[in-house]
Amino acid sequence: MKNFHHTGVCPVRDFLGRLGNKWSLLVLIALKANGTLRFGEIHRCLGDVSQRMLAVTLRDLEADGLLHREVFPQVPPRVEYRLSPRGENLMPHLEALVDWTLQNLPDILQDRRRYAEKTRE
């Protein structure tokens, strides 16, 4: 039996934990859908993310090599974000997950309602 206990550093757990937070997938999907974006444009794409959380998410994705951040030397500084080759390589897997979610969402929502009704009894 394979175990996934957190003993020391588990690279799968570490990466999936980072990628599976509330905003990382949405940032990557926004960049894939729209191409190169500035911070404010990403913020508008996601809507309800705080500026601080978006900044943290972008830093984490950059640290993992999933996006590229380019600063243009002008006043005020212009910063653009785009998927890196590693991020592009990840996207077919994320798009498959998004497609699966969209296909199964009606049934998932129905099961959630049934479960909620069952637990109220």
Side-chain angles (χ1 to χ4, degrees), residues 76-117:
R78 188 177 86 210
V79 180
E80 294 181 345
Y81 299 88
R82 69 178 184 279
L83 292 176
S84 68
R86 181 177 299 140
E88 288 283 356
N89 183 262
L90 177 62
M91 289 314 299
H93 307 285
L94 298 183
E95 289 167 335
L97 180 60
V98 169
D99 290 344
W100 181 92
T101 301
L102 294 174
Q103 289 172 1
N104 288 278
L105 188 59
D107 292 334
I108 291 169
L109 294 175
Q110 184 178 26
D111 289 341
R112 287 179 182 175
R113 282 190 295 275
R114 280 193 205 122
Y115 182 82
E117 290 170 6

